[in-house]
Amino acid sequence: MSRFSESDPLRPRDHVDGHEPAERTPGGPTLGVRGWARFMWRQLTSMRTAIVLLLLLAVAAIPGSLVPQRSSDPNGVIQVRENRPDLVWLYDALSLHDVYSSPWFSAIYLLLFTSLVGCVIPRLAHHWKAMRALPPRTPARLSRLVGFQTIAGDASDLDRADRVLRRLGYRTTRYGESVSAERGYLRETGNLLFHISMLAMILIVGIGSGFGYSGQRLLVEGRSFANTLSSYDTFTPGQWSDDGALEPFSVRLDELDVVYETENRNAMGAPLDFTAHVTVDEPTGERAAQIKVNEPLDVTGADLYLISNGYAPRISVRDPDGTVVYDEYTPFLAQDDMMTSLGVMKLPDGLDEQLGLRGFFYPTAVQLETGALASGYTDLVNPVLSLQAFTGDLGLDAGIPRSVYALDTDGLTQVAGGDAATDALTLALGESVELPGGLGTLSFDDVVRYGVIEVHVDYTQTAVFWTTLVLVASLLASLLIPRRRLWVKATAEGLELAGLARGEDPTLERAVDDLAKRLDAQGAPTRRPPRERTPR
């Protein structure tokens, strides 16, 4: 009798048709709100998503390094926006000057935190249960496992095997005529601790940094400032910081020393070292101190950094009667490696017309073939000022904030330099010149250095340091500690030994050999039989 159905020769006779499937919804089955929510949560809390978000956070931080940030380089922000006015809309639309507080960066930050929490909590529960569970039962055929071998011994040696395995750090249990041992739970513990440390780092940086603040102050030699909100040129408070509770101290910049390269011709004039000699007045008294590049000064919990330096010529302006209307050390901002510096002065009062001055300071002035001036060295060898003069309404009474380092010449009349009838006002140190139109005289009296000091208060540094140590140690543990199982089984031929690794473990076979040497009374294992292959 044929075993195929007569009605359908391609089907066996004992084939039973199932029920007809229900009519499907066009487009496939629907998950519903709860189904979609569960699906999205599983996708978000998967380890793959956490890794992608971590990489995305690293990529998202790149613009913060390439584009000047208001919190760390406000002058750079002003300069970039003036140089590229066509891209200002893009900077504002993407918050490129405030990357780390932008909505899109915060969204990635929060998603990464949520993903890590969703990954870690279920794994913690599973790991806790696994650590409390007994080692697995001994497989029936150890010959299929790694390092299988047989040594002399019988069931009476299992107690000794149990003791040896415990001394080696294994958790053991007896199953009949065998010992099952397992070790390496610290690998998963390190893995979980690594992720918990990442969560702690996110919380510490994201929340703890909100209690700190940072501020910058440009100090000319001989000048001082107090740690008050009004003393700073720029100030960036944390989200939860109290501007009225700043640490009480003041700092005076006594001298700024700069050491230049003078021997290597290929690097002549390159700065080698910067040292700001300061006097600090704090609640415990007054003291002298130094601030170097990458060597901040600690003052009552605040770190003081030296982040920039330059020259501040002393320029004085007198009216036609000889009355001084302006006498200030004016900071000029360096524009190149030779410290060619740009500066601006605004005189709204004291003269017959409002006067604006803009020009360059050359520490070591040299004349090019074109007749233009340039700086040939970074130190003060031949200091020269070259200024353009403008008259008209400077716009200082309009109530609109304006940068002290920029001069808006729209609506002003140029009276010196450029296309004006009078050449640029060029002065060497100690010289004076007449201002155009009989406005008065201008003199270049002195030049000193200035330093830009940043005051940074961060209450998270200690916590970040210890969290980083735990993170690195747990990462090493998760990478270096092997997770393995060993078995010792008493048979008629002797004691059978074998091992099994959870993941890659190139030293597993060596570990079985070491166990065999410890257990073998003669010190050498018997001939290892060939491993039996599992049929496919």
Side-chain angles (χ1 to χ4, degrees):
M1 180 177 179
S2 175
R3 63 187 182 91
F4 293 100
S5 171
E6 297 179 357
S7 59
D8 188 350
L10 297 180
R11 289 187 176 184
R13 183 179 297 277
D14 58 353
H15 174 79
V16 178
D17 289 330
H19 296 289
E20 290 296 328
E23 184 177 353
R24 294 187 176 181
T25 305
T30 57
L31 292 177
V33 176
R34 292 183 61 184
W36 276 109
R38 187 180 298 110
F39 172 77
M40 296 301 295
W41 174 253
R42 288 177 177 174
Q43 294 299 313
L44 177 62
T45 56
S46 67
M47 186 56 64
R48 178 177 58 185
T49 301
I51 294 174
V52 170
L53 287 172
L54 187 61
L55 294 175
L56 189 60
L57 189 69
V59 173
I62 294 176
S65 302
L66 301 179
V67 181
Q69 301 295 293
R70 287 190 175 93
S71 60
S72 59
D73 189 10
N75 294 328
V77 172
I78 295 173
Q79 186 173 358
V80 166
R81 295 173 77 89
E82 289 180 351
N83 294 340
R84 300 300 302 270
D86 54 319
L87 294 180
V88 169
W89 68 271
L90 181 62
Y91 294 144
D92 292 339
L94 299 180
S95 302
L96 294 182
H97 292 309
D98 302 282
V99 167
Y100 304 112
S101 59
S102 63
W104 52 271
F105 190 87
S106 301
I108 299 173
Y109 203 84
L110 291 175
L111 285 174
L112 176 60
F113 178 79
T114 305
S115 180
L116 287 175
V117 170
C119 287
V120 169
I121 291 179
R123 291 178 61 188
L124 277 174
H126 178 76
H127 184 54
W128 175 253
K129 292 179 181 178
M131 289 185 65
R132 300 181 65 188
L134 295 175
R137 288 187 171 276
T138 306
R141 304 174 70 177
L142 294 181
S143 58
R144 298 184 176 185
L145 303 182
V146 177
F148 172 72
Q149 55 190 281
T150 303
I151 63 173
D154 53 28
S156 62
D157 295 314
L158 292 179
D159 289 336
R160 183 163 59 92
D162 186 279
R163 292 192 298 270
V164 170
L165 287 167
R166 287 181 180 274
R167 286 198 299 269
L168 293 174
Y170 289 86
R171 295 190 308 122
T172 64
T173 189
R174 290 284 294 271
Y175 291 110
E177 300 296 315
S178 67
V179 177
S180 177
E182 188 172 23
R183 62 174 292 182
Y185 280 101
L186 283 179
R187 181 187 185 95
E188 180 63 13
T189 302
N191 198 344
L192 289 172
L193 194 57
F194 172 77
H195 289 88
I196 293 173
S197 300
M198 289 186 61
L199 281 173
M201 187 74 75
I202 292 175
L203 285 175
I204 292 170
V205 174
I207 298 178
S209 59
F211 294 94
Y213 65 87
S214 65
Q216 294 182 359
R217 174 61 189 263
L218 187 149
L219 273 185
V220 176
E221 289 179 334
R223 303 288 178 86
S224 61
F225 83 101
N227 188 34
T228 59
L229 186 60
S230 59
S231 297
Y232 286 100
D233 297 325
T234 62
F235 186 81
T236 306
Q239 187 173 359
W240 301 286
S241 65
D242 184 2
D243 301 344
L246 304 183
E247 292 77 5
F249 66 85
S250 63
V251 178
R252 182 178 70 247
L253 178 60
D254 299 320
E255 185 181 5
L256 181 61
D257 287 337
V258 183
V259 179
Y260 296 102
E261 176 62 60
T262 57
E263 298 181 359
N264 186 352
R265 292 183 177 273
N266 296 325
M268 190 68 68
L272 300 178
D273 187 38
F274 299 90
T275 304
H277 301 274
V278 298
T279 299
V280 179
D281 188 2
E282 51 190 339
T284 57
E286 190 174 272
R287 61 186 174 101
Q290 293 182 353
I291 308 175
K292 288 178 170 288
V293 177
N294 298 326
E295 295 182 18
L297 173 66
D298 179 47
V299 180
T300 65
D303 292 323
L304 276 61
Y305 295 86
L306 179 64
I307 63 172
S308 181
N309 76 102
Y311 291 105
R314 180 183 176 185
I315 301 170
S316 59
V317 177
R318 293 173 171 82
D319 64 10
D321 298 330
T323 303
V324 176
V325 297
Y326 183 89
D327 186 4
E328 295 286 345
Y329 284 97
T330 304
F332 277 58
L333 304 181
Q335 305 296 303
D336 59 25
D337 294 337
M338 291 298 165
M339 296 298 289
T340 301
S341 305
L342 176 66
V344 168
M345 288 146 286
K346 301 175 184 180
L347 287 76
D349 303 307
L351 301 177
D352 293 340
E353 295 184 82
Q354 293 188 10
L355 177 67
L357 300 170
R358 181 181 66 188
F360 289 96
F361 171 72
Y362 306 97
T364 302
V366 293
Q367 192 168 25
L368 304 179
E369 295 180 357
T370 60
L373 293 176
S375 180
Y377 189 61
T378 49
D379 208 354
L380 294 172
V381 178
N382 180 33
V384 170
L385 269 175
S386 179
L387 301 173
Q388 297 177 338
F390 300 83
T391 58
D393 185 7
L394 298 177
L396 300 181
D397 299 327
I400 301 174
R402 297 181 183 274
S403 171
V404 296
Y405 302 107
L407 179 65
D408 185 2
T409 59
D410 292 342
L412 300 181
T413 302
Q414 188 168 3
V415 295
D419 297 330
T422 304
D423 292 337
L425 308 176
T426 303
L427 306 88
L429 183 62
E431 293 183 345
S432 299
V433 295
E434 296 289 333
L435 291 171
L439 291 176
T441 60
L442 180 145
S443 61
F444 177 18
D445 303 323
D446 191 16
V447 58
V448 297
R449 292 184 181 273
Y450 70 80
V452 178
I453 296 178
E454 179 176 83
V455 179
H456 187 71
V457 174
D458 185 1
Y459 298 108
T460 67
Q461 291 181 349
T462 302
V464 167
F465 173 75
W466 288 109
T467 303
T468 302
L469 289 184
V470 173
L471 191 147
V472 173
S474 59
L475 178 62
L476 292 176
S478 67
L479 294 176
L480 301 180
I481 296 178
R483 178 81 181 274
R484 62 171 63 130
R485 295 167 177 171
L486 295 182
W487 290 278
V488 179
K489 184 178 181 181
T491 64
E493 289 78 16
L495 295 179
E496 294 183 350
L497 285 69
L500 180 66
R502 295 285 299 272
E504 294 294 330
D505 187 358
T507 63
L508 176 58
E509 192 164 350
R510 190 189 312 163
V512 178
D513 289 340
D514 178 65
L515 177 61
K517 291 178 181 179
R518 292 173 183 268
L519 296 178
D520 189 7
Q522 286 72 35
T526 60
R527 184 177 62 87
R528 179 179 301 171
R531 183 182 303 175
E532 183 178 345
R533 297 182 179 274
T534 303
R536 297 185 179 180

